[in-house]
């Protein structure tokens, strides 16, 4: 199992919507963590399982005090709230000023998120919504602990140029001298495009060629449907069969493709981490 970090370079391509959609169809138990230092959105747009609002004080805000004394992976569950659909969420900060309480704790959080897979009690993957990473956002300190960093981008030319440059910059920071290597570095840097379904496959191929040609160290791993109605359903603001929406159908395709490519590797890595000392000699 793994930590999967979602982020965007600039603008609002729909990172939170993408994170919720992927978490909703993830094939294993998953915790959705709102780790955007600018603040989370789910407390404003989603209802708790009991039908009332989410508690903004239980989540990243409450975990800040706990992590000062050390943070065991299983302690993350003490700060999680279930949404009305059952998704388990670590609610984000209320305002950007609260991020000061997490200063110096981001690597601790990253290690706890990545290690939750090895919990003997409640193992899970973690999907982290890191928001925009332009500038020197501390959420990037989660990335070295991730198995996969997904950059979410729309398909306007300027958005694609920015995601190309951001992917190359991240590869330089995370992979060092592996820029342009035939084998992708660790963590894998992937791009997910938010696109209209009619030309999504063609666009994905073209953008992937661009990323390869520019030696970014990143690849297009899938497309999510640009589906405003589905996003409204996902947020609980519109009625309808969410499972039939273009957004959720495309999210299932992305998760299936990601697990086909990397799931076995993540499971093997997790299993190796659980071997007793001296095993395999």
């Amino acid at each position: 199992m793994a930590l999967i970090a979602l982020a965007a370079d600039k603008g609002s391509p729909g990172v939170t919507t993408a994170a919720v959609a992927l978490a909703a169809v993830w094939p294993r138990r998953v915790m959705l963590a709102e780790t955007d230092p600018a603040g989370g959105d789910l407390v404003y747009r989603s209802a708790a399982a009991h039908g009332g609002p989410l508690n903004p004080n239980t989540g990243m805000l409450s975990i800040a005090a706990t992590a000062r004394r050390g943070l065991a992976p299983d302690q993350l569950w003490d700060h999680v709230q279930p949404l009305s659909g059952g998704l388990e969420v670590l609610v984000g900060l209320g305002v950007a000023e609260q991020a000061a309480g997490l200063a110096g704790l981001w690597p601790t959080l990253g290690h706890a998120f990545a290690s939750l897979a090895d919990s003997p009690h409640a193992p899970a993957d973690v999907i982290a919504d890191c928001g925009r990473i332009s500038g020197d956002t501390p959420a990037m300190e989660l990335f070295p602990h991730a198995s996969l960093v997904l950059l979410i981008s729309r398909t306007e030319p300027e958005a694609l140029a920015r995601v190309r440059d951001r992917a190359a910059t991240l590869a330089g920071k995370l992979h060092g001298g592996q820029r342009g290597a035939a084998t992708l570095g660790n963590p894998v840097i992937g791009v997910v495009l938010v696109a209209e379904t009619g030309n999504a496959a063609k666009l994905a191929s073209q953008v992937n060629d661009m990323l390869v040609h520019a030696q970014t160290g990143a690849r297009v791993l899938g497309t999510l449907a640009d589906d405003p109605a589905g996003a409204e359903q996902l947020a609980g603001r519109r009625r309808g069969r969410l499972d039939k929406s273009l957004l959720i159908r495309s999210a299932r395709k992305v998760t299936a493709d990601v697990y086909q490519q990397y799931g076995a590797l993540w499971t093997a890595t997790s299993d190796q981490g659980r071997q007793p000392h001296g095993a395999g000699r």
Side-chain angles (χ1 to χ4, degrees):
M1 295 189 184
L3 165 62
I4 298 91
L6 273 64
D9 178 75
K10 191 177 179 182
S12 301
V15 177
T16 298
T17 296
V20 176
L22 294 178
V25 298
W26 205 248
R28 308 185 197 186
R29 188 178 185 182
V30 66
M31 177 188 296
L32 174 61
E34 285 193 293
T35 58
D36 185 349
D41 294 327
L42 292 180
V43 73
Y44 304 110
R45 67 164 72 171
S46 300
H50 53 66
L54 293 165
N55 183 350
N57 297 315
T58 300
M60 290 291 287
L61 187 60
S62 61
I63 215 168
T66 300
R68 294 285 175 196
R69 302 185 294 272
L71 185 63
D74 279 332
Q75 288 180 284
L76 294 168
W77 294 114
D78 297 335
H79 305 270
V80 162
Q81 301 178 67
L83 298 185
S84 58
L87 186 60
E88 296 167 300
V89 174
L90 191 64
V91 171
L93 301 172
V95 293
E97 287 75 12
Q98 292 174 339
L102 288 166
L105 296 178
W106 294 93
T108 300
L109 282 170
H111 182 265
F113 289 152
S115 301
L116 189 60
D118 298 320
S119 164
H121 306 295
D125 291 341
V126 176
I127 293 179
D129 171 5
C130 299
R132 290 187 292 271
I133 57 170
S134 53
D136 195 22
T137 172
M140 288 180 62
E141 296 180 48
L142 299 178
F143 292 0
H145 302 275
S147 296
L148 176 63
V149 175
L150 286 181
L151 297 175
I152 309 299
S153 177
R154 293 192 176 269
T155 56
E156 295 83 3
E158 62 271 21
L160 295 177
R162 284 196 296 264
V163 80
R164 175 199 61 202
D165 295 344
R166 177 59 60 184
T169 300
L170 278 179
K173 289 182 178 180
L174 297 173
H175 303 159
Q178 296 184 31
R179 176 184 166 100
T183 302
L184 299 186
N186 187 44
V188 173
I189 300 173
V191 172
V192 171
L193 300 173
V194 179
E196 295 183 1
T197 55
N199 61 347
K202 181 179 179 180
L203 267 173
S205 178
Q206 292 173 341
V207 174
N208 192 67
D209 289 345
M210 176 189 72
L211 295 174
V212 173
H213 180 74
Q215 296 187 321
T216 61
R219 300 291 185 270
V220 174
L221 297 186
T223 62
L224 288 175
D226 187 0
D227 179 17
E232 289 287 298
Q233 290 175 332
L234 188 65
R237 294 192 291 258
R238 180 171 179 153
R239 293 181 176 274
R241 288 287 302 277
L242 179 59
D243 60 321
K244 299 295 184 181
S245 69
L246 293 175
L247 174 60
I248 290 300
R249 286 161 58 188
S250 62
R252 285 198 183 98
K253 177 70 164 59
V254 172
T255 58
D257 289 348
V258 164
Y259 259 87
Q260 182 178 5
Q261 293 183 67
Y262 305 112
L265 175 63
W266 295 342
T267 302
T269 302
S270 181
D271 288 345
Q272 289 172 6
R274 284 193 289 267
Q275 283 187 355
H277 182 68
R281 292 182 179 178

